[in-house]
Amino acid sequence: MRGITTLFLCLIVSFIGLAQEGTLRGTVTDQKTGEALFGIKVKIVGEDKGAVTDFDGKYEISGLSPKTYALEATGTGYKAEIKYNIVVRSGGNPDVDFVLQEEATDLEGVEIVANPFKKDKETPLSSNKLSQEEIATYPGGNNDIAKVVQSLPGVSGSVGGFRNDVIIRGGAPNENVYYLDGIEIPNINHFSTQGSAGGPVGLLNVSFFEGVTLSTSSFGAQYDNVLSGVLQFEQRTGNAREMKTNFRLSSSEAALTLEGPLFKKDNEEAKTTYIVSARRSYLQFLFQVLDLPFLPDYWDYQYKINHKINKYNELNFTGVGSIDDFAINVPDEFDAEQQATLEQIPVIKQWTTTSGLSWKKRFKDVNGYMLTAVSKNILNNNFKRYQDNINLTGLYLNNESQEQETKARYYYKRFYDKWELAFGGVVQNVDYSNRTTNTVSGFNYENALNFWKYGAFVQASTKVLKDKLSISGGLRFDGNDFTKRGNDIYRTLSPRAALSYSLDKKQRWSLNASVGRYFKLPSYTILGFTDNQGMFANREVDYIQSDHLVAGVEFLLNSSTKFTIEGFYKKYSNYPVSLTDSVSLANLGGDFSVLGNEPVTSIGLGRTYGVELLAQKKFTKHFYGVASVTFYKSEFTSFDEDVYLPSAWDNKVLISLTGGYKFGKNWELSARTRFLGKTPYAPVDVEASEQTYPALVKDYNRLGEEFLASFNQTDIRIDKKWNFEKWTLDIYFEVQNVFGQATPSEPSYGLVQDENGVPVQPTELKQFPSVASGTVLPSLGIVIDF
């Protein structure tokens, strides 16, 4: 009996031992050529474990205890690269790939600090990246990529209002562009504000991403229609060896992600892989239990299929979509303020889809590649406001519209010794239709609009002075065949230049600078607006112009820590100004409405300027952290070009602190703190609103007179991972606004009622006392990988 017991215990110990091991795999390639690199050593930093890549550039390190590592790739003729915060699990480990840069031959014998903070020649500053693990465990993010992005320097969101806008250095939410593996997507949020990009909840699945890169200035010439920021989402490629599953359950949604090989033969890695996910919200059930007056209900999906045709050719088919329903919920018991909220919220039904196919061809002389992509995206928006939201009667605002873009992009890049030359272009067909009834403003029309957009660019980069000085210059133009001056491409010539100079031999100190001119075509809601005579009223609008000047210094303390300081200046011209409300559209787009569906004129000016400080430490010695402070000013004009008013995003101070500490036995504590200075807002014109209620009229001439209090919030998250045989369990507990700090909000208004709850006549508006909420929001989530 004792022998059987001993054997049984030995089997358990053996099982546990096997369950607590993981494997890291990946591929190492050359940055320029994309060629697989043979003989590169990939090792665990601080441990005597590693592997050497084979002829296909692949490596495998097995027998690893489940915990967090740093991984370094080194090879003759290449700069060493370190990847931090690599979490090894017993199951569900994604591949860790390296792309190595060539080392200059005339720098032999010079000890250069390995720099994990990569920067492109075209974007040597104002660029930051979040890794896969940082995205997945971001405190307070609730698995929402739009919230995660707000931890990056110079990025803020709208204060209060259940919004998820991405506001970069004082620019409006619609001044950014988003790319998913090189395929442009029009927005990254559910219930997005048409003509803008924000919404309450992100629609991209964090389980898909290998990393996210944000550039807030110095954009490469290949990017069009951008004024403030370029966000690039890098998706993982599905597992080529076996099927993997990720299931995530959080306080607001459930998500399932599947990946694996297609058409796999025996033990070979498949040439075709897939990764696909679906998410379902249950916020609507929670809101109904809490007896709130609105119910946000959404679905979304995401997919990527990768096929390696041969050594030189690769196809990617990717897409994302959403289905949104923002419905009314009548609470069992509610007061006059809740009644006002119920009367003023819109009814929204919306769906979006984006799909794209890209072909990457590497040249056989391994000195360049070309990328061809075709894509299509659709936004279908049904937006309504009623006099009586309970019975859905008295429709006073109806916007039924659809935007479709069909795009073809071409990108060519060639390497000539130390020179890099790139050129390409884009052709887009736009199909926009709209049926609008607006009894408040007196607009009533139905239209259809179809036109073409196009653009081309060239970019050249090189390194000189023994690779100490990196220089890049580019030029692009854009045009369209709809606006009156759309084909005058000389008006949109947009030059840009960037440089980075290493100030010392170890390349710890560098001076970075960029200057550029960028253009954006106004939104389709503006272009497609039709007056009551059936004419397109805004064909005279021009491309919005923004000139950027940025300069800064970077100091690399060691291989995991950097400090930067940057000064920036953005000057705007040709900004659309509303002829209805006499306000620059740069101040709009941060609410639940339709931006730009009105007559405008391109006479607005603007400027944002400031200084930004950043300290960042990659994960070493159990700790990682990012701290940034941005001091800035954001202001725009309307009809008087000499009068600059603070913009709705002019907080003046933005502070962001994010960090985490990993304890033993796979425990992790992370936290985030954000601070925003006072927010200017346009007060309600009470007299005008009494005539239009439940539509409220804002007095935009008073921007800068009223301010919301400063915003401050701290979120914490605790993760615990368990590793079993071939599967892992991660349970996390998260508390948003842990100190119960008040979230400022604008004053609300409703009708004065008699003792029976009937509005008095004539209509009279009442301002409700402004009560800043300070709700602590705890939540629990689980993640299973197998």
Side-chain angles (χ1 to χ4, degrees):
M1 182 69 180
R2 179 178 296 178
I4 295 175
T5 303
T6 302
L7 178 61
F8 180 70
L9 291 174
C10 288
L11 288 173
I12 293 177
V13 171
S14 174
F15 171 80
I16 294 174
L18 287 173
Q20 294 180 345
E21 289 188 352
T23 300
L24 281 178
R25 300 182 178 90
T27 305
V28 182
T29 55
D30 184 286
Q31 183 194 40
K32 285 186 176 181
T33 66
E35 285 283 294
L37 297 179
F38 168 73
I40 300 296
K41 185 176 182 180
V42 182
K43 66 176 183 178
I44 302 294
V45 175
E47 296 189 18
D48 189 23
K49 290 186 178 180
V52 177
T53 57
D54 60 18
F55 285 102
D56 294 320
K58 298 185 181 299
Y59 72 90
E60 178 179 317
I61 307 173
S62 57
L64 298 174
S65 299
K67 60 178 183 179
T68 303
Y69 297 93
L71 203 59
E72 182 179 28
T74 58
T76 303
Y78 288 91
K79 293 181 180 179
E81 182 179 346
I82 301 177
K83 287 184 178 288
Y84 294 94
N85 208 8
I86 306 299
V87 177
V88 173
R89 305 173 177 85
S90 57
N93 292 314
D95 288 0
V96 181
D97 298 330
F98 288 87
V99 180
L100 299 187
Q101 301 179 25
E102 289 185 355
E103 184 71 270
T105 56
D106 51 7
L107 290 179
E108 290 185 14
V110 177
E111 183 184 352
I112 297 176
V113 178
N115 188 348
F117 308 98
K118 285 186 176 180
K119 54 188 178 185
D120 297 327
K121 297 182 183 69
E122 300 90 344
T123 314
L125 74 178
S126 306
S127 180
N128 292 276
K129 181 174 181 176
L130 290 171
S131 69
Q132 182 184 67
E133 187 65 20
E134 290 167 334
I135 295 168
T137 61
Y138 180 73
N142 197 26
N143 302 304
D144 189 330
I145 193 65
K147 284 187 172 66
V148 173
V149 167
Q150 291 174 14
S151 70
L152 295 173
V155 182
S156 64
S158 298
V159 177
F162 193 47
R163 294 285 299 179
N164 217 6
D165 300 292
V166 176
I167 300 163
I168 298 175
R169 290 178 171 176
N174 65 346
E175 294 181 8
N176 313 313
V177 293
Y178 309 97
Y179 285 86
L180 195 66
D181 282 350
I183 302 295
E184 186 178 0
I185 54 177
N187 61 75
I188 59 173
N189 285 294
H190 289 280
F191 309 101
S192 66
T193 298
Q194 190 175 6
S196 187
V201 185
L203 63 81
L204 300 177
N205 188 347
V206 297
S207 299
F208 253 70
F209 297 124
E210 186 170 308
V212 175
T213 302
L214 170 66
S215 302
T216 54
S217 278
S218 187
F219 317 121
Q222 67 267 35
Y223 300 111
D224 62 301
N225 234 35
V226 56
L227 298 178
S228 280
V230 177
L231 265 166
Q232 301 173 73
F233 301 97
E234 303 157 29
Q235 296 183 114
R236 297 190 293 112
T237 298
N239 194 297
R241 297 172 297 275
E242 57 186 335
M243 179 177 172
K244 297 289 184 180
T245 302
N246 172 277
F247 174 73
R248 189 178 69 248
L249 185 68
S250 71
S251 61
S252 60
E253 66 188 24
L256 179 66
T257 303
L258 304 174
E259 63 176 295
L262 290 173
F263 318 118
K264 186 174 181 292
K265 295 182 180 178
D266 301 325
N267 294 323
E268 296 180 2
E269 289 193 359
K271 291 185 177 181
T272 308
T273 63
Y274 71 91
I275 179 170
V276 60
S277 76
R279 293 195 306 170
R280 175 70 166 113
S281 154
Y282 48 82
L283 268 179
Q284 66 276 18
F285 306 121
L286 176 63
F287 279 33
Q288 195 159 30
V289 170
L290 296 175
D291 217 20
L292 296 178
F294 54 92
L295 304 175
D297 184 3
Y298 64 84
W299 286 84
D300 61 52
Y301 61 87
Q302 198 167 333
Y303 60 87
K304 176 181 178 179
I305 299 174
N306 172 268
H307 176 63
K308 293 179 171 57
I309 301 173
N310 53 38
K311 183 179 179 180
Y312 301 101
N313 293 274
E314 180 177 339
L315 293 176
N316 277 300
F317 181 52
T318 189
V320 62
S322 64
I323 303 173
D324 305 333
D325 186 358
F326 198 85
I328 301 299
N329 178 49
V330 181
D332 296 329
E333 297 181 7
F334 55 96
D335 54 24
E337 188 169 1
Q338 285 182 311
Q339 172 72 27
T341 301
L342 185 67
E343 290 169 345
Q344 296 168 30
I345 59 177
V347 177
I348 305 173
K349 294 184 183 296
Q350 189 177 101
W351 60 265
T352 68
T353 182
T354 300
S355 58
L357 176 65
S358 64
W359 167 39
K360 185 174 183 178
K361 177 181 177 61
R362 292 190 296 110
F363 304 139
K364 291 186 178 180
D365 63 5
V366 300
N367 276 325
Y369 64 90
M370 69 176 190
L371 182 66
T372 305
V374 292
S375 63
K376 187 178 186 69
N377 54 266
I378 304 174
L379 166 64
N380 194 90
N381 190 32
N382 191 322
F383 182 96
K384 300 181 185 298
R385 289 188 184 273
Y386 294 91
Q387 294 282 349
D388 182 354
N389 268 339
I390 297 176
N391 298 303
L392 300 182
T393 58
L395 181 68
Y396 70 88
L397 175 58
N398 178 50
N399 177 76
E400 299 176 37
S401 63
Q402 186 174 97
E403 299 177 6
Q404 295 191 51
E405 293 179 312
T406 305
K407 307 177 183 180
R409 292 183 181 273
Y410 180 77
Y411 182 85
Y412 178 99
K413 194 164 191 176
R414 203 37 129 154
F415 305 103
Y416 301 94
D417 193 18
K418 290 188 177 182
W419 281 88
E420 298 178 13
L421 175 66
F423 64 86
V426 58
V427 177
Q428 307 179 46
N429 179 255
V430 177
D431 193 2
Y432 175 79
S433 60
N434 193 331
R435 183 170 65 182
T436 289
T437 300
N438 186 338
T439 61
V440 174
S441 300
F443 304 140
N444 187 3
Y445 66 88
E446 183 173 356
N447 66 22
L449 169 64
N450 187 283
F451 69 98
W452 290 88
K453 296 165 59 179
Y454 55 89
F457 76 92
V458 62
Q459 184 102 30
S461 307
T462 189
K463 286 188 174 184
V464 296
L465 301 178
K466 296 184 178 180
D467 281 5
K468 294 183 68 175
L469 177 61
S470 170
I471 305 173
S472 180
L475 181 70
R476 75 167 293 124
F477 70 82
D478 293 279
N480 74 89
D481 65 357
F482 174 72
T483 62
K484 288 291 181 64
R485 292 171 291 275
N487 285 319
D488 297 341
I489 59 174
Y490 66 89
R491 293 177 177 271
T492 61
L493 285 178
S494 48
R496 69 279 313 271
L499 65 85
S500 179
Y501 181 73
S502 296
L503 299 172
D504 63 319
K505 290 184 178 180
K506 293 186 177 182
Q507 297 186 0
R508 289 179 181 269
W509 289 90
S510 62
L511 174 66
N512 308 299
S514 70
V515 61
R517 171 165 290 179
Y518 310 99
F519 288 94
K520 175 181 174 63
L521 186 66
S523 64
Y524 302 136
T525 52
I526 293 175
L527 301 181
F529 173 76
T530 306
D531 61 23
N532 292 333
Q533 285 71 47
M535 304 296 292
F536 290 111
N538 294 327
R539 295 193 70 175
E540 295 282 349
V541 297
D542 292 317
Y543 281 80
I544 306 170
Q545 178 180 315
S546 179
D547 297 335
H548 290 216
L549 176 62
V550 189
V553 176
E554 175 182 307
F555 172 59
L556 189 64
L557 179 65
N558 52 45
S559 61
S560 64
T561 307
K562 77 169 181 178
F563 298 90
T564 65
I565 179 170
E566 293 181 4
F568 59 90
Y569 180 82
K570 294 190 288 184
K571 180 182 178 181
Y572 296 88
S573 57
N574 302 334
Y575 227 109
V577 174
S578 168
L579 294 173
T580 303
D581 296 320
S582 301
V583 61
S584 171
L585 267 63
N587 287 305
L588 307 180
D591 59 0
F592 292 100
S593 60
V594 177
L595 173 65
N597 202 3
E598 58 184 315
V600 301
T601 180
S602 295
I603 64 169
L605 304 176
R607 58 195 180 199
T608 72
Y609 51 91
V611 62
E612 187 170 279
L613 297 89
L614 167 70
Q616 182 175 3
K617 179 184 180 297
K618 293 289 188 179
F619 179 81
T620 55
K621 297 181 180 179
H622 304 285
F623 170 74
Y624 69 92
V626 181
S628 66
V629 181
T630 307
F631 301 97
Y632 64 100
K633 180 70 178 173
S634 173
E635 50 191 7
F636 291 84
T637 69
S638 56
F639 288 104
D640 190 340
E641 64 179 17
D642 296 322
V643 178
Y644 282 84
L645 296 176
S647 79
W649 333 108
D650 184 34
N651 300 103
K652 293 185 174 60
V653 180
L654 167 62
I655 301 174
S656 178
L657 306 171
T658 306
Y661 189 90
K662 296 194 177 186
F663 302 88
K665 298 183 179 179
N666 292 310
W667 284 91
E668 179 178 355
L669 173 67
S670 55
R672 173 186 72 160
T673 294
R674 290 178 298 152
F675 174 85
L676 277 173
K678 293 181 179 180
T679 303
Y681 69 91
V684 169
D685 185 330
V686 176
E687 184 176 343
S689 297
E690 287 176 346
Q691 308 303 315
T692 61
Y693 190 84
L696 297 181
V697 179
K698 296 288 190 74
D699 186 353
Y700 290 103
N701 291 321
R702 295 178 59 197
L703 258 173
E705 295 182 13
E706 303 287 342
F707 294 85
L708 299 179
S710 59
F711 169 79
N712 190 5
Q713 180 172 315
T714 299
D715 310 316
I716 64 170
R717 171 168 166 156
I718 300 173
D719 284 76
K720 168 60 179 172
K721 296 180 177 67
W722 286 270
N723 290 275
F724 305 96
E725 187 175 5
K726 295 186 178 180
W727 70 283
T728 64
L729 171 66
D730 181 0
I731 296 181
Y732 63 88
F733 176 67
E734 187 172 80
V735 182
Q736 296 185 37
N737 197 21
V738 65
F739 298 119
Q741 293 155 318
T743 301
S745 60
E746 295 183 29
S748 58
Y749 292 83
L751 295 178
V752 176
Q753 302 174 352
D754 62 22
E755 62 276 6
N756 298 316
V758 178
V760 301
Q761 297 297 327
T763 300
E764 184 179 346
L765 276 190
K766 170 186 177 182
Q767 178 179 329
F768 297 104
S770 181
V771 179
S773 62
T775 306
V776 178
L777 295 175
S779 63
L780 189 68
I782 65 171
V783 182
I784 301 173
D785 286 283
F786 58 93

